[in-house]
Amino acid sequence: MENFPYSPSNPNPNFIDASENFELSDYNYLFLDDGSSDDFLSQNEIVQSVSDSSGSYSNNPTPTSHNIKCMKGVKKVDAKSRVAFRFRSELEVLDDGFKWRKYGKKMVKNSSNPRNYYKCSSEGCNVKKRVERDNEDSSYVITTYEGIHNHESPYVRHYTQFPPNNIALHNLCL
DNA sequence: CGTTTTTGACCGGCGC
DNA sequence: GCGCCGGTCAAAAACG
């Protein structure tokens, strides 16, 4: 990607308060997947490839388990693009700066943890997210965003919890 | 009293 | 066609 504006040393100004409370070493992967390319790693493959957790980004990233999906995702921007984040957290629902309405909860196969479905509460905004605990290590939460917000975050400077990084990355990568 | 959560029902895609 | 599975709907309850 030619211009990936987020890095630990150069956080998005809109999310300036975020990185202080966010342990990048706990951030293990992100990926975009519109389902149209075999180049994307599956979620399971990514989970298993969590070994490099240096958490570094640059404007010219080399393909690592951290950024390869983001790089690839950039050329496939559409409303069905998805971004997933996995991080250690006791809280299931993190304040990512957007307002969400829960619309479903489902037990999925091969996981002992339920998957929760949320939709952005903003009028006409079709962004959804899924939140579930990692079945392999339930101290981790996996959050998957789908879609692009048609509005700005209503709470740009009013975060109460970490880590707004995820939504910053979510928007920037899409 | 408007908004959100809860929860079983419903639905569509897919493999057999 | 049928059953499984993941995703969504919607009515009622809960919430603030």
Side-chain angles (χ1 to χ4, degrees):
Chain A
M1 132 182 4
E2 75 284 359
N3 184 26
F4 186 48
Y6 178 83
S7 77
S9 58
N10 179 31
N12 183 318
N14 285 340
F15 303 93
I16 204 163
D17 299 321
S19 51
E20 295 173 16
N21 296 323
F22 187 66
E23 293 286 334
L24 276 166
S25 58
D26 283 345
Y27 167 71
N28 285 320
Y29 71 84
L30 85 95
F31 70 100
L32 299 178
D33 186 357
D34 63 1
S36 67
S37 170
D38 292 335
D39 290 335
F40 292 101
L41 298 176
S42 74
Q43 185 160 329
N44 284 337
E45 287 171 326
I46 292 164
V47 169
Q48 282 157 17
S49 73
V50 173
S51 51
D52 170 13
S53 52
S54 64
S56 61
Y57 291 90
S58 73
N59 286 338
N60 185 24
T62 53
T64 70
S65 61
H66 282 302
N67 58 29
I68 185 169
K69 272 65 64 182
C70 193
M71 293 167 62
K72 288 186 174 183
V74 166
K75 49 186 177 181
K76 291 180 177 300
V77 175
D78 63 38
K80 292 201 170 164
S81 296
R82 294 200 288 178
V83 198
F85 300 88
R86 180 179 179 274
F87 40 82
R88 190 186 299 275
S89 170
E90 310 83 40
L91 290 112
E92 316 256 323
V93 186
L94 301 154
D95 182 358
D96 56 22
F98 288 89
K99 199 160 172 248
W100 303 92
R101 187 187 74 256
K102 188 175 185 174
Y103 67 89
K105 173 183 175 180
K106 199 76 173 173
M107 293 303 298
V108 291
K109 220 183 172 190
N110 300 324
S111 176
S112 49
N113 305 314
R115 176 178 293 169
N116 298 286
Y117 300 86
Y118 298 86
K119 186 181 182 310
C120 183
S121 301
S122 181
E123 173 102 28
C125 185
N126 289 319
V127 176
K128 295 170 193 167
K129 75 171 176 178
R130 299 196 309 227
V131 179
E132 64 187 299
R133 290 220 160 261
D134 188 340
N135 191 43
E136 316 280 302
D137 181 349
S138 62
S139 66
Y140 283 85
V141 169
I142 297 174
T143 302
T144 305
Y145 293 93
E146 176 176 334
I148 304 167
H149 289 282
N150 66 356
H151 58 98
E152 292 299 317
S153 166
Y155 306 121
V156 166
R157 297 196 182 278
H158 299 290
Y159 297 110
T160 59
Q161 303 162 13
F162 81 98
N165 299 62
N166 63 358
I167 196 62
L169 287 167
H170 162 226
N171 284 340
L172 293 172
C173 289
L174 289 176

